[in-house]
Amino acid sequence: RSLERPAEPVTLNHELHHVHQMHTLGFFQPILYVLASLVAWAAKEKSYKANVFESAARRAAGQIVDLDTFVKGFALGKKTGQK
């Protein structure tokens, strides 16, 4: 990705939510982010996908929060002829 090309609005909103998290939690945000990843990993989840900070940023940006449910729903829709 070229630095000359601006970020997509969804990506920008996602990252701006992380900035908001940092402003809200200050010094503790990176520590809590790592702890959230460790909790997800310990629960045998994907540490990035299940991280509450990432879920909140995806939700704030209008991104898909639960990809597995989305994919299953999409596959079910294709089987039943729904769009």
Side-chain angles (χ1 to χ4, degrees):
R1 176 177 196 94
S2 170
L3 293 177
E4 296 172 9
R5 200 170 95 198
E8 296 293 324
V10 170
T11 302
L12 182 59
N13 288 334
H14 177 108
E15 297 306 326
L16 285 174
H17 191 73
H18 287 306
V19 171
H20 173 74
Q21 292 169 345
M22 187 68 174
H23 280 262
T24 303
L25 299 170
F27 170 80
F28 297 105
Q29 192 274 343
I31 296 166
L32 293 171
Y33 184 99
V34 170
L35 288 174
S37 291
L38 290 172
V39 166
W41 177 78
K44 306 237 186 283
E45 298 286 337
K46 293 185 177 167
S47 59
Y48 174 78
K49 186 176 108 178
N51 185 307
V52 295
F53 289 94
E54 289 300 331
S55 294
R58 286 192 295 271
R59 192 174 293 109
Q63 295 171 302
I64 297 166
V65 176
D66 182 359
L67 185 59
D68 292 335
T69 301
F70 173 79
V71 170
K72 288 175 186 171
F74 180 75
L76 180 63
K78 286 183 87 172
K79 287 179 185 177
T80 61
Q82 298 174 358
K83 290 186 179 184

